[in-house]
Amino acid sequence: MSAIATKELSARVGVEVLDVDVERLLNDDEIAVACVDLLEQHGVVLFRELHAGDEAQVAFSRKLGELVQFGKYTNPNVMEISFDPGNPNAKYFPSNDYWHIDGSMDPVPAKTSVLSAHVITDRGGETAFASTYAAYDGLSGEERKRFAGLRVVHRMERIQRLSYPDPTPEQLADWARWSDRVHPLVWTHESGRKSLVFGASASHIVGLDPDESRALLDDLEHRATTPDLVLTHAWSVGDLVLWDNTGLVHRACEFDRSQPRRMHRSTVLGEESIK
Ligand code: OGA
Ligand code: MN
């Protein structure tokens, strides 16, 4: 076994793997095994300027599990994230600017997301990450008791309205293709750890007054994403970042949308529903 050198990126979130090139990524099986542990401990794992390319990214992602298939893309293992008008999902990507969990509208959210930078802008366009385990750990004992039974309705319309506050009937009909999904506010993972489930898709808490519900969800998100808790990754072309989508929220930071920016994402299917 070869040792893997790492460096913490911030106190709470993120670790960089050092001295690994694409060849080693693909051929040294210890790397994928180590990444699983690093993801559990640090949430985000960075390989700086790896320049993996789609084939290597997909081959490595497969070592972490089965991949989500993106039927609209030429390579169904890779979703291109860009505002290029030819991108089949371009209209949905503005919502990436808001804190979210990938696949929060799915029965089982993604386990690991793998994102690489292909075209970046001179300014902005970072990706920010915050731990939802830390969000739970930051609650008072009284809050932990109060939140234990709460259930949250996740709704596509809630995510999309943040970017399109005045939707057309066609947009509303499109968003309604996703059924609401109800998740507990507190996720007790099979590992025994607990995290909070919030973010852009969180519409309201079942049975609570709407204003109280909105205020609580906003407060939890605000407290979990104060700058001292957030890792903001400023991309270089070729960077590859993995994140534990079950224990983090993330978002894209602002950039000039008239400039091209293109990221490639492969996604490892979730194995654990939120319960
Ligand atoms: C994603 C995502 C953020 C970014 O690919 O799931 O949220 O910075 N991307 O592009
Ligand atoms: Mn995302």
Side-chain angles (χ1 to χ4, degrees), residues 61 73 124 143 179 186 193 236:
S61 301
Y73 290 83
E143 285 175 316
S179 324
V186 178
R193 296 174 80 191
S236 298

Side-chain angles (χ1 to χ4, degrees), residues 15 44 55 59 75 83 100-101 106 111 116 146 149 167 176 182 188 190 194 222 234 253 267 269:
V15 69
V44 172
E55 209 181 313
N75 178 348
F83 291 104
H100 66 281
I101 296 172
D106 299 339
K111 181 179 172 191
S116 59
R146 187 153 53 92
V182 181
T188 306
E190 282 165 16
K194 289 179 196 259
H222 179 75
C253 301
T267 305
L269 272 171

Side-chain angles (χ1 to χ4, degrees), residues 5-274:
T6 60
K7 187 178 129 194
E8 276 188 16
L9 294 172
S10 79
R12 311 250 179 180
V13 184
V15 69
E16 179 177 352
V17 175
L18 305 167
D19 308 324
V20 169
D21 60 10
V22 180
E23 216 228 88
R24 187 166 172 212
L25 185 82
L26 296 182
N27 297 317
D28 182 350
D29 284 339
E30 293 297 331
I31 306 283
V33 173
C35 279
V36 172
D37 279 349
L38 292 171
L39 285 165
E40 184 72 19
Q41 282 169 45
H42 300 277
V44 172
V45 176
L46 164 67
F47 294 86
R48 232 180 260 280
E49 298 189 35
L50 187 68
H51 297 279
D54 285 349
E55 209 181 313
Q57 177 171 332
V58 168
F60 178 67
S61 301
R62 283 218 172 98
K63 293 186 187 218
L64 302 170
E66 204 183 318
L67 302 189
V68 175
Q69 296 297 295
F70 304 111
K72 295 183 201 165
Y73 290 83
T74 329
N75 178 348
N77 295 305
V78 179
M79 184 192 277
E80 295 191 13
I81 317 285
S82 75
F83 291 104
D84 175 337
N87 189 312
N89 278 342
K91 64 183 176 196
Y92 302 119
F93 291 142
S95 67
N96 281 349
D97 291 4
Y98 302 91
W99 292 108
H100 66 281
I101 296 172
D102 289 340
S104 63
M105 297 305 303
D106 299 339
V108 180
K111 181 179 172 191
T112 313
S113 294
V114 182
L115 192 66
S116 59
H118 287 249
V119 179
I120 61 170
T121 49
D122 293 341
R123 296 210 284 155
E126 303 90 346
T127 307
F129 301 91
S131 167
T132 55
Y133 288 122
Y136 181 82
D137 294 342
L139 298 177
S140 70
E142 188 273 322
E143 285 175 316
R144 289 180 195 196
K145 276 198 208 118
R146 187 153 53 92
F147 298 165
L150 295 185
R151 288 150 53 81
V152 182
V153 175
H154 292 257
R155 183 169 289 172
M156 188 60 164
E157 184 183 331
R158 154 73 188 160
I159 311 178
Q160 294 299 330
R161 267 186 187 273
L162 298 169
S163 314
Y164 303 102
D166 193 14
T168 64
E170 288 74 21
Q171 283 179 307
L172 288 168
D174 180 37
W175 304 337
R177 294 186 302 121
W178 280 266
S179 324
D180 283 358
R181 186 73 54 194
V182 181
H183 296 300
L185 177 59
V186 178
W187 182 351
T188 306
H189 297 245
E190 282 165 16
S191 65
R193 296 174 80 191
K194 289 179 196 259
S195 68
L196 285 184
V197 181
F198 57 88
S201 64
S203 163
H204 58 278
I205 299 175
V206 178
L208 237 65
D209 163 79
D211 291 340
E212 197 189 330
S213 163
R214 187 73 264 150
L216 177 54
L217 289 167
D218 288 349
D219 177 55
L220 292 175
E221 179 173 303
H222 179 75
R223 284 159 58 187
T225 56
T226 52
D228 56 316
L229 297 177
V230 171
L231 171 74
T232 301
H233 179 60
W235 295 91
S236 298
V237 170
D239 286 356
L240 181 92
V241 165
L242 326 179
W243 69 87
D244 169 17
N245 186 61
T246 72
L248 289 171
V249 284
H250 63 280
R251 69 180 185 96
C253 301
E254 211 178 305
F255 64 94
D256 176 356
R257 295 255 170 94
S258 70
Q259 302 286 308
R261 175 185 188 262
R262 182 163 46 84
M263 317 293 285
H264 286 197
R265 173 150 68 82
S266 41
T267 305
V268 180
L269 272 171
E271 291 168 351
E272 210 186 307
S273 60
I274 304 180

